[in-house]
Amino acid sequence: MNRAVMLRVAACGLLGLGAALLVAALLLSTYTAGKIKKIPLDLDATLVSDGTGTALDPASLAGEVFVVDQGVPVVSQQQISVESPANADVVTLQAGTSVRRTDQQKDTGLLLAMVDTVTVNRSTAMAVSDDAHPGGSVQKPRSMEDTKAPTNVALPHEGLSYRFPFSTEKKTYPFFDPIAQKPFDANYEGEEDVNGLTTYKFTQNVGYDADGKLVKPIRYSSLYDNDEDAEVTARAMQWGVPGEPEDPVTMTRYYAAQRNFWVDPVSGTIVKAEERANHYYARDALEPEVALADYKVSFDEDTVEAQVEAARTERDQIGLWSRILPITFTAAGLIALVAGALLGSFSLRAEAELIDPGLDGKEGGFFGGFASRRGEDTGPMPAAEAETEKLPAQRPDLHPDQGPPDRT
């Protein structure tokens, strides 16, 4: 195989490689990046929040007067895991939430417990729900001694739940509240730094206005069959309200909350959260009379660090497939195309020299230049320049001299 053919093969190979790298870069930045931006199917997070609040003492329910304790330590724990169905398009998140006062043990310290399940789109994080498939459920309450299998009640979900979408925007999102059983707006407030990570802050008001004033509290939706915790009747003396001590007084349970979310805009992970929740009994929704649990909690330091690390991991994976690799492949592809074009040019010149060696002169030509660099004399040989001496050839005498005539 001569040099021209070798150069041509190498040029074709580089041109093909360059084109393949550019196509790969395009696919990575469009198709593959879209496949990467999805909620992980192995999601498993434990979110712990702590704070203080006001809470009804469960032991006083059997006494003469309901006792409400002030400034009690409160811990909220939320365990989020993946359940079925979970596939390429949707994922089902199960969130078990408990709120307890840490100065009491077991059932006596439990203020709230619920298990919420929702199926969401893996890309948009929006709930997937319709008339035939509610897309969510909530577990009926059970005592700690109950050994029966848990029973779920269908609860259609709307909007976001437990996280925000990838590429979160600076706008208002509907965010589902499983206690109120409907979504409420989460409004964008601005950017803030959380452990070195730039986040978007969102606020949500449920029954409160922006100033923290009760405006439209939610009547509590009981999960019991007989609504035993939605309305409670007790003696006026027990409630501690004016009137005849033994007169029965029925109060309704209401709920209101305020939340702040700090969200990683790339992955949609909630890296920090604050919640103020107020459960109370009243005869008038806007005039709380007996507090059941009014507390304010926020992610503890370990939870914030873990959530920031999870967000960074998802960021790195998205950045690798949607930015770093496409840029690298694009640069390598362009280099390969330029190199292939140069080798192709050299191969044409080399082929021309093989076809017409006369082009291999001192003034130009691929091989001519190469020979000149080696110090070889590319001009004509001296023997070729020497004139050949031509010797005259004798012609034959067609009329030979026969001497004088004979005079005899």
Side-chain angles (χ1 to χ4, degrees):
M1 182 182 293
N2 58 49
R3 182 175 301 176
V5 175
M6 293 176 62
L7 289 174
R8 185 184 303 170
V9 171
C12 291
L14 286 173
L15 290 173
L17 176 61
L21 288 172
L22 291 179
V23 171
L26 179 62
L27 291 176
L28 285 173
S29 61
T30 54
Y31 178 79
T32 304
K35 296 295 183 182
I36 293 297
K37 292 183 179 180
K38 290 189 174 183
I39 299 174
L41 294 177
D42 59 350
L43 185 65
D44 188 3
T46 300
L47 311 177
V48 178
S49 303
D50 52 23
T52 59
T54 299
L56 180 68
D57 183 0
S60 68
L61 295 177
E64 293 297 321
V65 179
F66 297 153
V67 177
V68 177
D69 297 325
Q70 307 286 332
V72 299
V74 176
V75 170
S76 171
Q77 182 169 314
Q78 189 173 77
Q79 179 69 43
I80 301 176
S81 58
V82 174
E83 301 293 328
S84 180
N87 52 46
D89 300 319
V90 301
V91 62
T92 300
L93 303 178
Q94 185 178 85
T97 304
S98 65
V99 180
R100 64 172 58 250
R101 49 189 296 180
T102 57
D103 59 338
Q104 297 186 8
Q105 302 298 319
K106 297 184 178 181
D107 280 352
T108 58
L110 188 64
L111 301 177
L112 174 69
M114 70 180 307
V115 178
D116 179 46
T117 303
V118 57
T119 301
V120 302
N121 183 288
R122 291 183 63 195
S123 298
T124 65
M126 288 288 184
V128 179
S129 179
D130 55 41
D131 293 339
H133 306 86
S137 63
V138 63
Q139 192 177 108
K140 283 188 174 183
R142 297 188 305 161
S143 65
M144 298 188 69
E145 293 79 18
D146 194 346
T147 58
K148 296 180 181 179
T151 303
N152 292 329
V153 180
L155 177 61
H157 285 58
E158 299 176 40
L160 303 174
S161 294
Y162 306 110
R163 61 181 294 148
F164 281 70
F166 288 89
S167 303
T168 301
E169 300 179 34
K170 299 177 180 180
K171 67 176 188 180
T172 297
Y173 288 94
F175 200 91
F176 192 79
D177 186 318
I179 297 177
Q181 300 186 2
K182 60 182 179 178
F184 293 84
D185 287 344
N187 301 304
Y188 173 76
E189 295 293 331
E191 294 186 6
E192 290 190 15
D193 181 271
V194 177
N195 287 16
L197 186 71
T198 300
T199 65
Y200 291 173
K201 181 182 178 181
F202 293 86
T203 62
Q204 183 189 49
N205 292 301
V206 180
Y208 285 110
D209 63 12
D211 298 323
K213 179 182 178 181
L214 278 174
V215 290
K216 195 175 180 181
I218 307 300
R219 188 181 188 279
Y220 183 76
S221 298
S222 177
L223 299 177
Y224 290 99
D225 294 333
N226 56 1
D227 292 342
E228 61 187 54
D229 58 346
E231 285 189 350
V232 176
T233 300
R235 292 174 296 164
M237 181 176 61
Q238 289 179 295
W239 288 117
V241 297
E244 291 296 325
E246 299 299 323
D247 285 350
V249 176
T250 299
M251 290 198 183
T252 302
R253 179 175 172 179
Y254 292 95
Y255 161 74
Q258 287 183 308
R259 297 183 180 91
N260 293 319
F261 304 105
W262 285 264
V263 180
D264 170 34
V266 177
S267 66
T269 302
I270 299 174
V271 300
K272 180 181 176 182
E274 288 181 349
E275 179 182 31
R276 188 251 173 123
N278 187 6
H279 298 258
Y280 62 91
Y281 289 102
R283 287 168 288 184
D284 184 335
L286 297 179
E287 297 181 6
E289 296 184 74
V290 177
L292 174 61
D294 184 3
Y295 58 88
K296 185 176 182 179
V297 294
S298 60
F299 282 1
D300 63 16
E301 292 184 3
D302 290 341
T303 299
V304 173
E305 290 179 2
Q307 289 298 98
V308 168
E309 183 63 27
R312 291 189 186 280
T313 299
E314 290 194 49
R315 273 190 173 213
D316 292 343
Q317 186 177 18
I318 294 170
L320 174 65
W321 290 97
S322 63
R323 186 176 64 255
I324 297 176
L325 287 180
I327 292 175
T328 303
F329 282 14
T330 299
L334 292 175
I335 292 173
L337 288 177
V338 172
L342 290 175
L343 279 181
S345 175
F346 291 159
S347 70
L348 292 176
R349 294 169 65 181
E351 187 175 5
E353 296 295 345
L354 291 175
I355 294 174
D356 188 358
L359 294 176
D360 188 18
K362 198 170 185 177
E363 297 299 326
F366 180 74
F367 292 111
F370 179 75
S372 297
R373 287 192 296 270
R374 290 177 53 190
E376 296 180 5
D377 188 0
T378 59
M381 296 296 292
E385 295 179 346
E387 296 182 1
T388 303
E389 184 178 359
K390 298 181 180 180
L391 299 177
Q394 294 185 354
R395 296 183 179 179
D397 190 1
L398 299 178
H399 304 284
D401 187 7
Q402 296 181 2
D406 190 4
R407 297 185 178 272
T408 57

